[in-house]
Amino acid sequence: MRDQADDDGFVLSRLPGPRWIGVDEALDDLRIVWRHHRIPVVAASGQALPLRVRFDMVAAFDVLEHIEDDIGALRAWRALLTPPGHLVITVPAGPELWSRRDDFAGHCRRYSRAGLRVERLRPLFRTLWPLAWLSARVSRGTAVSDPVAEYQVSGLLNVLLRFLVRTEEWLLHGSDRGRGTSWLLVARPTRGAADGSAA
């Protein structure tokens, strides 16, 4: 199962494994996912999932930060897992990186690693952290006025960013050290928590 965000099924279509189900509240996005990728989809809230089966994996990429009751969402997702199943999540990292882009994107929070009991947690986009920190400082107190200009990346800059991310992955693959602009989380339900009760 995958809680669909803004990529209209692109990430979901690249995940390994034969069977995935996309979940989103936006019917237009679900239509695109089905039309382009032929992936089964369900129109539902990420916190009120009308699913009666359990899954080997629940994945939510840049979804949790948009949900006010993130603990409730995690409980709902965990309740969908088979006992040996995995929960895979990416979230924006570092409360100190909060900027106008977070306000514009509808984020409720950015995350630190404190208090997480997980199987694996590692930072992503570590090479971008200094730039994100500087951008957050410079833009503090201002709002996004032109979303297209704000999020547009030139071809040359995109090539440079891709090179930096690939170099980081090559040098630091598997390492959980450092700071990044996002977290990659892999967790299992705690023993006896298959009913969706709190960890």
Side-chain angles (χ1 to χ4, degrees):
M1 192 205 76
R2 152 89 158 92
D3 199 323
Q4 184 67 21
D6 298 324
D7 55 28
D8 296 332
F10 176 81
V11 172
L12 182 58
S13 70
R14 287 345 186 239
L15 293 176
R19 296 178 60 196
W20 290 90
I21 298 174
V23 177
D24 199 323
E25 294 179 294
L27 292 177
D28 287 341
D29 290 343
L30 293 176
R31 288 188 190 100
I32 292 171
V33 173
W34 174 250
R35 188 180 318 121
H36 291 180
H37 305 290
R38 292 297 185 216
I39 295 169
V41 293
V42 174
S45 162
Q47 294 173 266
L49 296 160
L51 302 168
R52 301 279 185 223
V53 296
R54 297 215 174 171
F55 298 87
D56 295 328
M57 182 175 291
V58 173
F61 301 110
D62 295 329
V63 172
L64 194 62
E65 67 274 12
H66 294 276
I67 300 174
E68 188 66 41
D69 181 13
D70 56 344
I71 301 301
L74 286 169
R75 288 176 177 148
W77 300 344
R78 187 178 63 187
L80 291 172
L81 288 172
T82 59
H86 283 84
L87 177 62
V88 180
I89 299 173
T90 60
V91 292
E96 72 278 6
L97 298 182
W98 189 273
S99 73
R100 63 187 185 179
R101 291 185 180 94
D102 293 284
D103 292 319
F104 179 78
H107 292 173
C108 298
R109 69 198 67 78
R110 296 182 73 92
Y111 290 84
S112 67
R113 62 188 300 163
L116 292 172
R117 291 170 39 195
V118 300
E119 187 171 283
R120 182 160 190 199
L121 177 69
R122 78 174 175 130
L124 297 177
F125 313 119
R126 285 167 270 205
T127 52
L128 302 181
W129 189 91
L131 182 61
W133 182 88
L134 181 61
S135 175
R137 301 286 78 72
V138 170
S139 65
R140 180 170 284 165
T142 62
V144 173
S145 57
D146 184 353
V148 174
E150 189 82 18
Y151 290 95
Q152 191 170 29
V153 177
S154 70
L156 181 60
L157 181 56
N158 199 41
V159 169
L160 176 60
L161 292 174
R162 186 179 296 125
F163 171 77
L164 288 173
V165 170
R166 286 181 177 170
T167 301
E168 171 189 317
E169 186 64 20
W170 179 69
L171 291 173
L172 301 173
H173 178 69
S175 169
D176 63 356
R177 297 182 181 229
R179 289 180 168 182
T181 62
S182 292
W183 288 111
L184 171 64
L185 167 77
V186 179
R188 286 181 185 263
T190 56
R191 186 170 294 176
D195 61 353
S197 58

